[in-house]
Amino acid sequence: MSMSIEDTGKVRDGFPRPFPNTPSNVLEQLRMNGKVVVVTGGADGIGFAVAEAMAEAGGDVALLYNSNDKAIVRAQGLALAHNIKAAAFKADVSDPNQVQDVIQKVVVEFGKIDVFVANAGMAISKPILEQTLDEYKKQMSVNVDGVVYCAKYVGQVFKDQGFGNLIITSSMSAQIVNVPVDQPVYNATKAYVTHFGKSLAREWREFARVNIVSPGFFDTKMGAGPLALNEAYRMSVLGRQGHVKEIKGLYLYLASDASSYQTGSDVLIDGGYVLP
């Protein structure tokens, strides 16, 4: 950091860096042809919507799943519908050995990884005084450890390649205390990965971009539960939950060359929930 006017006038070697050699046409910037995208939690909900968006834009996709075998059929469907390469890989993101192994399998199968979407997550919405320590550890193992493991091992791939793009799915719960359901552990896990992603954007500045998406309530299994549904409608400025088709464009933008000057950002998409 420059500490004086004199410091700011110094010429630094390597600066300014050149503009990227990307298309000027915005629709061409959004194309994903020739790129390989990995999505964890890719069998359903936001994860599958993201994989579908990448395939629709011409990208090859790898869907990572843990227990939902639907990913296998869905990968086959994407390949047939969009004339791209798609495959499903089973891995528990809370196990570092499985994460390391599956990332290497993807590299062998696809030849590279351009974009990695760390999307897998879970919620146990209980107050801390009612939550068991095993429940606490389970959330931490998926929401925090899973993102860290994915970042560690795909980050090495990015560094070796000399390029890469990590997108972390966080939550508006990283920024607010949700009501009326108390869920301090879940909220804290999302605050962790949000700041972790911003820190990686600095650390990986020479070879990869890193951004965070923070969804509000979407109409999925991870959306508003029965106790919070009516409040979710009332608190959202738009008066409803989001449909997964409404988040596809955001992930595509961050994955594509259209966002080549964006890194370290936390993008909120919540229907205006956090405004009031």
Side-chain angles (χ1 to χ4, degrees), residues 10-19:
K10 293 178 181 177
V11 176
R12 269 83 166 179
D13 291 339
F15 295 98
R17 293 174 178 168
F19 295 126

Side-chain angles (χ1 to χ4, degrees), residues 2-274:
S2 297
M3 301 303 293
S4 68
I5 296 295
E6 289 74 19
D7 287 340
T8 64
K10 293 178 181 177
V11 176
R12 269 83 166 179
D13 291 339
F15 295 98
R17 293 174 178 168
F19 295 126
N21 184 24
T22 54
S24 295
N25 183 289
V26 69
L27 294 181
E28 290 301 315
Q29 291 176 9
L30 290 164
R31 297 298 304 172
M32 296 296 290
N33 300 73
K35 294 187 178 181
V36 176
V37 183
V38 182
V39 184
T40 68
D44 207 352
I46 289 176
F48 179 69
V50 171
E52 187 176 48
M54 304 303 160
E56 289 170 345
D60 296 328
V61 292
L63 280 63
L64 271 55
Y65 71 99
N66 181 26
S67 58
N68 192 347
D69 292 340
K70 191 188 304 181
I72 300 171
V73 175
R74 289 195 153 175
Q76 295 169 347
L78 290 178
L80 290 172
H82 305 291
N83 194 30
I84 53 93
K85 183 174 182 177
F89 297 83
K90 184 177 176 64
D92 180 354
V93 297
S94 69
D95 182 333
N97 293 322
Q98 289 190 42
V99 171
Q100 186 177 29
D101 289 346
V102 79
I103 287 174
Q104 289 306 312
K105 287 178 182 177
V106 172
V107 172
V108 170
E109 177 74 16
F110 287 83
K112 62 174 180 172
I113 298 175
D114 292 278
V115 183
F116 192 100
V117 182
N119 171 77
M122 65 166 298
I124 301 176
S125 299
K126 292 181 180 180
I128 190 62
L129 297 183
E130 298 176 13
Q131 189 161 120
T132 67
L133 291 181
D134 284 342
E135 289 172 330
Y136 157 75
K137 291 176 182 177
K138 180 63 176 175
Q139 285 186 93
M140 294 293 291
S141 72
V142 176
N143 294 0
V144 173
D145 295 345
V147 173
V148 172
Y149 300 153
C150 287
K152 178 174 178 59
Y153 293 117
V154 83
Q156 187 61 55
V157 172
F158 289 165
K159 185 176 182 180
D160 292 343
Q161 294 176 159
F163 61 88
N165 185 347
L166 175 65
I167 304 171
I168 297 172
T169 299
S170 182
S171 171
M172 69 174 181
S173 301
Q175 304 181 26
I176 61 171
V177 176
N178 287 11
V179 292
V181 178
D182 290 315
Q183 50 181 33
V185 173
Y186 175 80
N187 295 350
T189 65
K190 293 303 182 178
Y192 182 109
V193 297
T194 293
H195 201 63
F196 179 64
K198 291 180 179 182
S199 301
L200 289 182
R202 158 71 187 180
E203 179 182 331
W204 295 358
R205 61 193 179 278
E206 299 296 337
F207 57 86
R209 295 191 294 119
V210 184
N211 288 290
I212 304 103
V213 176
S214 289
F217 285 121
F218 277 76
D219 188 15
T220 68
K221 294 174 183 177
M222 287 279 290
L227 298 177
L229 188 60
N230 289 327
E231 189 68 1
Y233 296 156
R234 186 187 73 81
M235 285 288 288
S236 170
V237 171
L238 297 182
R240 60 178 173 85
Q241 294 192 94
H243 190 286
V244 290
K245 67 183 179 183
E246 297 177 287
I247 205 168
K248 291 165 70 174
L250 174 55
Y251 279 90
L252 176 58
Y253 163 73
L254 292 174
S256 72
D257 290 337
S259 62
S260 58
Y261 193 55
Q262 188 154 0
T263 194
S265 295
D266 176 18
V267 186
L268 191 66
I269 177 167
D270 69 341
Y273 189 99
V274 306

